[in-house]
Amino acid sequence: PLHPRVRANLRFLVASSTARRMARWIVGLFGMMAALPVQAQALTEVDSALSSDSGRVEYFERFIRPALVEHCLDCHSTETEASGGLVLDSRSGWMTGGDSGPAIRPGDAEASLLMRAIGYRDPNLQMPPDGKLPEELIQRFRHWIAQGAFDPRTVRNHSAAQRPMGLAVERATEHWAYRPYARPAVPDATAGTAIDSFLNRKLAEESLQPAPSSPPAVIARRLYFDLTGLPPTPVQLRSAIELISQDRTAELVDRLLASPRFGEHFARHWMDVVRYAESITLRGFVLPEAWRFRDYLVDAFNEDRPFDQLICEQIAGDLMDAPDLRERQRQLVATGMLALGNTNLERQDKTQLEMDYIDEQLEVIGRAFLAQTIGCARCHDHKFDPIPTRDYYAMAGILRSAVGMEHDNVSKWIELPLPLDASQQEHFAGLESQLRDVGKQLEQAKRALAALEDSPRTSIALASLPGIVVDSNQARYVGSWTHSAHVRPYVGDGYSHDENTGKGSKTATFEPHRLPAGEYEVRLAYTPGPNRATNVPVSVFSANESQTVLVNQRRTGERGVWVSLGRYFFEEGGLAYVLVSNEGTDGHVIVDAVQFLPIGADEPGTPPADGSQAVSAAVAAQQAGRIAELRSRVGSLEREKKRLEAELARRPRYLTVVEKNPPSDIPIHIRGQAHNLGETVPRGVLTALTRQPIEIEDRSSGRLEMARWIAAADNPLSARVYANRIWTWLMGASLASDPNNFGTTVPPPTHPELLDWLAVELVEGGWSTKHLVRLIVLSEAYQRAIVPATPALTATDPDNRWYWRGHRKRIPVEAMRDAMLMVSGEIDWTMGGSLIRPGTRSDYGYAHSGTRRSLYHPVFRNALPPLYTAFDFADPSVSVGSRARSTVATQALVLINDPWVVQRASAAAHRLCQVQGRFANREDRRAAEEVVQQVYLSALCRSPDPGELQACVDYLCQASGDRDRVQRVARVVQAVFASLDFRYLD
């Protein structure tokens, strides 16, 4: 058991919301350690401790409290009170219960809601929601409740009045982000750019001196990476240094903004924000058309499409008017943003699934465009920001009409054909018409084949057959035989089989009642099949002989249902019978009928003289031919259908949502539960940001109106949020601390007036991304050097919040990968399209390959490349405002050991050695120096310092032979790839 002092300290930790996660880990650890000696015993032995007071305390502390802390209290505590009003951090809490009543009935485990929830007995009440508890732990709870649910905890003093309350809607403008913005006066219009004027005023207030400008080579590398995501080539670097040195940096910036690489790089920035991915975690489902949204972003940023227009297109492009076909295509593809979420399509409660889908969309819209955590208001009024639950369901009602799934056992996302020009539309319409015709023909052929196989092949009437026929019901049997009429056609009323048992003990004898003397062809009838015997011994007894024939009953007889046993002469009154045995047979033995056909008589199937139309053996043979013909036609039509489907599959499609549900308001879902409904609220937007409700017509869902409200110039958030994002992408630090959250829980901006100035500049500049980028990168602040901080500077501004120097930035993993491909000379500059290999149905274990820019490679949620996972690639399941920046040993290990990195270094070595010529011997230091210079210029945009140059050249000149020289160059390249200079941007 836990020591009383330890237990008291842990109770204190659990009482603190800020320390809850640490407490959960510690309590879980101690609980696990305390339980170790007990787990080897049977439950009944441990639970005997519940009979004493000390035992009940021990049991609760060992098993119940750790489980509650680990699995329940994050949502069900006095601090959070987030789910169903239920709190489980005290006895009085679970006795009072939540919306559904008391959680526990002491002494009656089966009647307790807690047991129903953790036992997953009710599909609408399953806790914890992330997975069922281990069965042993469920049994612990059952025994605990059955023994009275002893709980020594008491309620903590947290009355409703003492709980932290969110900012009221009426007081929203007390928070800086919800106030209208206006262009602030520039402090000193004569001092550099407006940006520098705002920053320098703050530096003066803090008694800080700005750092000098960076060297031209550093500025050039910074600009190339920040605007294109790529390093400059040595030739581009020389040109850039010349322009910067001549104070013509603006020309270089304009050149980079006009490059198609700009759109690729900024598209990747925005893809982080809107959680772009090409697969779903569930079963690794692949989204084959998601790439069109990525290409839409690339084009939009390259064309500098106004960002307010991008907002509307991504939220409601499908509802917008378009002047031409190309614009319509882009609008439809843009709205795919709403369908990129990572959804649990297997959820069987489809009503709850739809609300989860809408919740994910609201969370992305809120964070991406408004920097608001709207999803926090799903179950209750936002605890901190002025977002009541009514506002959440007002916006959810708008999105409800935009259906993004077609429901089945596993629901499916929606893909639709992309509109095309008239000629293409006509081509694909023709293919669809052909496919419909082929489908009808195929259906008809299959019906005819089925009808011919099943019904026309009925019994062959004995009266229709020439000669003398002895049917199976007239035979004499030894042993147990079974009558059947399962496989057709057959003679008479069916056939018999030996049950594939009693081999050697069963016979069937067919003897005609009277057989006139003469020569006859003797035939045996049976129904063939794959389980039949291949070696049935059939003996014919005639006047002169007895002869045994082995019959393969898996094959169809040469005369329809009949197989000939040969010609025999019979005397009247002499031996005349056929005996079928199952001795030594390797399958079912079938006996149907035996025919004695006089030589010269009509063939089976010839209509009898009386005109009977009964089916004969010849008719059966004709049917077999017709069946073969129909099977061939079915196969041909199926191949044609597949060909047409393959052609139609090449028709462009797009991932989207569809306005299906009739527009309607929806009720508040109490505690976020789809089946616990409250008051209905009208469709609308965040009331804290709107002086008057937006007008939504009854026949309109309101999605386009919501998009236009978000994109409006007078919305206090949208322009601020996007201006702050651009600043963060370029400067390496955010004016507002969290680009995805402008709520009341985060600190105010470091330079609020500068942020407002940038927002106004963005709007008045036509929402131009390139305009704002140009302003920022041409500022002195952007070009400042990264210099060491003195102790005084460290004390004043250790985090460089006032931008007195440049921020050292981690190069994104995609840019690092692309830089390796540039150094190796392998990069493929092809733009657009999908790189998902044809036939890929799941992303699990997907092997990424190819040399296209990283932007174009599939983003698979279950299969990211090793480089991506090691170097903080954005989580593609959530909106990411700024990527994590970890520094761990595995990063260096990946750069040293990853096969892909090794291959790029090897390719670079071969290219460099071919370009520079192989240095012929150990004394050829000049060639070695040229190789090292090229490596450093290509990878780091600088020359090696004397020490680096000497070490590398000495190493290369120790090579013995051409192969060793190339390998040594590869190791030098890889060492540069693994260096901090390669991974960071000064």
Side-chain angles (χ1 to χ4, degrees):
L2 299 177
H3 189 279
R5 185 175 299 170
V6 173
R7 188 180 305 146
N9 290 336
L10 291 177
R11 285 176 181 167
F12 171 78
L13 285 172
V14 173
S16 170
S17 61
T18 59
R20 185 176 310 286
R21 295 191 180 277
M22 180 181 294
R24 187 171 78 176
W25 181 83
I26 295 173
V27 171
L29 177 62
F30 274 99
M32 180 182 67
M33 293 173 63
L36 283 176
V38 181
Q39 288 175 350
Q41 303 177 37
L43 273 171
T44 54
E45 296 176 2
V46 177
D47 297 335
S48 62
L50 292 170
S51 60
S52 65
D53 290 343
S54 60
R56 285 194 292 267
V57 172
E58 178 180 343
Y59 191 90
F60 181 84
E61 297 296 346
R62 282 187 174 184
F63 304 116
I64 305 305
R65 186 196 292 271
L68 292 172
V69 171
E70 182 176 359
H71 300 290
C72 306
L73 295 189
D74 273 352
C75 296
H76 296 283
S77 71
T78 310
E79 292 290 332
T80 59
E81 200 179 356
S83 283
L86 171 65
V87 294
L88 295 173
D89 52 3
S90 68
R91 181 179 181 85
S92 60
W94 54 253
M95 288 183 69
T96 302
D99 296 339
S100 302
I104 295 173
R105 292 188 180 182
D108 192 348
E110 298 309 314
S112 296
L113 286 175
L114 178 68
M115 291 307 304
R116 191 173 77 187
I118 66 175
Y120 276 45
R121 300 202 302 257
D122 183 344
N124 297 318
L125 184 62
Q126 296 182 345
M127 293 293 164
D130 54 354
K132 189 177 179 182
L133 297 176
E135 190 60 35
E136 181 181 355
L137 187 53
I138 294 174
Q139 292 297 329
R140 299 288 187 195
F141 273 101
R142 178 174 285 108
H143 287 293
W144 173 65
I145 295 173
Q147 294 297 322
F150 173 82
D151 187 346
R153 301 170 302 166
T154 57
V155 67
R156 296 193 301 276
N157 187 22
H158 283 282
S159 66
Q162 292 173 314
R163 293 182 195 128
M165 300 299 292
L167 182 64
V169 170
E170 298 77 14
R171 298 170 48 209
T173 53
E174 295 178 11
H175 182 60
W176 65 270
Y178 307 134
R179 298 175 196 143
Y181 58 81
R183 183 185 289 275
V186 178
D188 183 358
T190 63
T193 68
I195 292 173
D196 295 313
S197 182
F198 284 109
L199 294 178
N200 290 342
R201 180 177 64 180
K202 190 65 178 180
L203 291 178
E205 292 174 359
E206 299 292 332
S207 301
L208 294 169
Q209 290 296 319
S213 181
S214 301
V218 172
I219 295 175
R221 184 171 185 254
R222 191 181 295 175
L223 284 170
Y224 265 87
F225 268 110
D226 282 342
L227 300 191
T228 70
L230 297 164
T233 65
V235 173
Q236 291 171 333
L237 180 62
R238 284 194 295 272
S239 174
I241 290 173
E242 182 178 352
L243 289 173
I244 295 169
S245 301
Q246 297 173 2
D247 200 19
R248 296 161 58 195
T249 307
E251 293 181 32
L252 173 62
V253 171
D254 290 339
R255 183 189 303 168
L256 296 178
L257 291 174
S259 167
R261 311 282 85 88
F262 172 82
E264 292 174 329
H265 184 51
F266 270 66
R268 182 59 258 181
H269 280 314
W270 188 248
M271 286 156 68
D272 282 6
V273 178
V274 293
R275 50 55 173 126
Y276 175 84
E278 292 169 67
S279 70
I280 296 174
T281 300
L282 173 69
R283 302 192 188 183
F285 287 137
V286 172
L287 302 174
E289 302 298 334
W291 63 272
R292 296 188 189 277
F293 176 75
R294 177 206 62 209
D295 286 1
Y296 157 81
L297 292 178
V298 173
D299 291 342
F301 282 108
N302 274 331
E303 296 171 7
D304 201 18
R305 182 169 285 229
F307 191 73
D308 60 340
Q309 188 174 342
L310 264 69
I311 294 174
C312 291
E313 289 173 349
Q314 291 176 78
I315 297 175
D318 58 318
L319 305 179
M320 297 172 67
D321 295 327
D324 53 48
L325 176 63
R326 183 168 181 264
E327 189 69 11
R328 183 59 180 160
Q329 289 177 333
R330 295 208 288 192
Q331 291 171 347
L332 294 174
V333 169
T335 313
M337 186 276 291
L338 294 176
L340 290 171
N342 195 16
T343 308
N344 179 14
L345 300 174
E346 277 188 325
R347 184 156 194 166
Q348 296 305 297
D349 186 341
K350 301 304 179 181
T351 303
Q352 188 69 46
L353 172 58
E354 289 177 0
M355 288 309 301
D356 292 345
Y357 193 81
I358 292 172
D359 178 73
E360 196 274 342
Q361 291 173 331
L362 278 176
E363 187 70 0
V364 170
I365 290 172
R367 290 183 180 274
F369 303 114
L370 303 170
Q372 295 294 291
T373 54
I374 296 175
C376 292
R378 180 181 185 180
C379 302
H380 51 76
D381 290 349
H382 202 295
K383 294 294 183 184
F384 308 105
D385 300 336
I387 306 176
T389 304
R390 290 178 58 86
D391 285 3
Y392 176 94
Y393 287 97
M395 298 182 75
I398 289 175
L399 292 176
R400 177 183 172 276
S401 300
V403 177
M405 296 172 291
E406 295 174 347
H407 290 312
D408 204 331
N409 179 45
V410 178
S411 300
K412 183 72 165 61
W413 58 91
I414 293 176
E415 294 174 2
L416 296 178
L418 198 65
L420 302 170
D421 61 40
S423 62
Q424 291 176 307
Q425 196 77 26
E426 183 178 354
H427 169 69
F428 285 108
L431 291 175
E432 288 175 348
S433 178
Q434 293 179 49
L435 182 60
R436 285 193 297 270
D437 290 343
V438 168
K440 290 179 182 177
Q441 296 177 41
L442 179 60
E443 185 179 352
Q444 292 171 356
K446 284 183 174 180
R447 280 202 305 264
L449 178 60
L452 200 58
E453 286 179 334
D454 293 339
S455 58
R457 298 194 299 169
T458 57
S459 65
I460 301 171
L462 293 172
S464 69
L465 299 171
I468 297 173
V469 179
V470 182
D471 195 15
S472 57
N473 61 5
Q474 300 169 331
R476 298 192 307 271
Y477 294 99
V478 174
S480 175
W481 294 73
T482 299
H483 178 76
S484 178
H486 180 67
V487 180
R488 301 180 180 185
Y490 47 75
V491 175
D493 65 350
Y495 56 89
S496 298
H497 63 83
D498 71 339
E499 303 169 340
N500 199 24
T501 62
K503 297 301 183 182
S505 64
K506 299 182 182 183
T507 62
T509 302
F510 294 80
E511 184 174 6
H513 176 67
R514 178 177 175 276
L515 187 65
E519 188 177 7
Y520 294 81
E521 180 180 0
V522 181
R523 297 174 176 176
L524 174 70
Y526 62 88
T527 58
N531 66 341
R532 308 313 196 214
T534 63
N535 55 347
V536 179
V538 183
S539 300
V540 181
F541 293 85
S542 63
N544 301 323
E545 59 183 334
S546 66
Q547 184 171 330
T548 300
V549 178
L550 293 179
V551 177
N552 184 349
Q553 293 192 340
R554 294 183 187 177
R555 296 178 182 173
T556 303
E558 64 269 21
R559 298 179 181 272
V561 299
W562 302 100
V563 62
S564 177
L565 302 175
R567 293 187 176 191
Y568 301 89
F569 183 80
F570 295 94
E571 294 179 350
E572 187 170 357
L575 290 177
Y577 64 90
V578 174
L579 184 144
V580 181
S581 172
N582 73 344
E583 184 174 0
T585 53
D586 57 4
H588 285 78
V589 174
I590 309 299
V591 290
D592 185 358
V594 171
Q595 181 185 40
F596 296 84
L597 184 65
I599 298 302
D602 292 333
E603 287 293 308
T606 301
D610 63 2
S612 172
Q613 298 300 311
V615 179
S616 67
V619 172
Q622 291 175 1
Q623 286 179 336
R626 177 60 177 159
I627 287 172
E629 179 185 338
L630 283 172
R631 285 175 177 169
S632 175
R633 177 163 175 75
V634 167
S636 176
L637 289 170
E638 285 179 337
R639 288 190 294 272
E640 177 66 6
K641 181 183 178 184
K642 286 181 180 179
R643 184 190 69 79
L644 291 170
E645 287 174 341
E647 281 202 49
L648 278 171
R650 287 194 282 271
R651 172 169 186 164
R653 301 176 71 83
Y654 65 102
L655 180 68
T656 190
V657 295
V658 179
E659 288 276 303
K660 283 187 176 181
N661 292 331
S664 63
D665 301 330
I666 65 173
I668 293 173
H669 293 44
I670 298 173
R671 303 295 177 184
Q673 297 174 5
H675 304 287
N676 191 4
L677 305 181
E679 174 191 359
T680 298
V681 296
R683 302 189 299 284
V685 294
L686 299 183
T687 51
L689 305 178
T690 309
R691 295 177 182 174
Q692 314 180 15
I694 63 173
E695 295 184 4
I696 300 176
E697 297 181 3
D698 290 342
R699 64 177 181 273
S700 170
S701 67
R703 185 154 52 92
L704 182 57
E705 292 87 336
M706 179 176 72
R708 287 172 174 162
W709 168 78
I710 292 175
D714 60 356
N715 187 314
L717 286 174
S718 304
R720 276 189 179 121
V721 169
Y722 189 58
N724 182 67
R725 289 196 191 281
I726 296 176
W727 178 272
T728 305
W729 295 337
L730 296 171
M731 298 296 290
S734 178
L735 292 172
S737 61
D738 185 348
N740 263 17
N741 187 0
F742 278 18
T744 60
T745 59
V746 297
T750 55
H751 300 77
E753 288 185 325
L754 172 57
L755 180 56
D756 281 4
W757 186 89
L758 291 170
V760 173
E761 193 65 33
L762 173 68
V763 173
E764 293 183 357
W767 292 83
S768 166
T769 300
K770 290 185 177 181
H771 171 65
L772 209 60
V773 169
R774 195 176 191 275
L775 289 175
I776 294 172
V777 300
L778 290 177
S779 68
E780 293 175 0
Y782 174 82
Q783 299 178 24
R784 282 176 186 149
I786 300 173
V787 296
T790 64
L793 289 171
T794 301
T796 303
D797 187 16
D799 298 323
N800 194 26
R801 297 176 66 240
W802 311 125
Y803 298 95
W804 62 272
R805 62 175 176 178
H807 280 274
R808 178 171 280 108
K809 293 176 286 188
R810 165 81 64 78
I811 293 174
V813 63
E814 306 96 310
M816 190 166 65
R817 180 185 178 277
D818 293 343
M820 293 181 192
L821 287 170
M822 286 188 65
V823 173
S824 69
E826 300 171 290
I827 194 164
D828 179 354
W829 297 110
T830 304
M831 297 179 66
S834 174
L835 292 189
I836 301 174
R837 285 189 290 275
T840 302
R841 295 291 178 266
S842 170
D843 68 357
Y844 288 111
Y846 188 87
H848 295 267
S849 62
T851 56
R852 292 274 298 277
R853 279 203 76 173
S854 301
L855 169 80
Y856 295 110
H857 288 267
V859 180
F860 284 155
R861 288 180 167 120
N862 292 311
L864 293 174
L867 274 178
Y868 284 29
T869 55
F871 286 96
D872 304 316
F873 184 76
D875 182 350
S877 295
V878 295
S879 174
V880 176
S882 56
R883 293 187 181 182
R885 182 170 158 174
S886 65
T887 303
V888 293
T890 52
Q891 293 169 344
L893 293 174
V894 166
L895 293 175
I896 293 172
N897 298 309
D898 187 273
W900 189 89
V901 177
V902 174
Q903 291 166 8
R904 303 292 74 75
S906 178
H910 281 87
R911 183 177 73 87
L912 289 168
C913 288
Q914 288 172 359
V915 171
Q916 298 299 326
R918 300 185 189 278
F919 34 99
N921 54 62
R922 297 182 181 180
E923 302 303 322
D924 195 355
R925 298 184 66 85
R926 177 175 297 179
E929 288 177 359
E930 291 176 356
V931 169
V932 175
Q933 287 281 357
Q934 282 298 312
V935 170
Y936 272 74
L937 283 173
S938 299
L940 305 180
C941 299
R942 67 172 176 84
S943 296
D945 63 35
E948 292 170 332
L949 182 62
Q950 168 117 14
C952 291
V953 170
D954 289 348
Y955 175 71
L956 294 180
C957 287
Q958 293 173 10
S960 57
D962 289 348
R963 183 176 180 180
D964 186 33
R965 293 188 186 97
V966 174
Q967 289 177 344
R968 286 175 179 265
V969 173
R971 294 190 190 104
V972 169
V973 173
Q974 193 175 358
V976 172
F977 285 168
S979 68
L980 291 177
D981 286 359
F982 183 75
R983 288 184 266 161
Y984 285 85
L985 194 62
D986 285 339

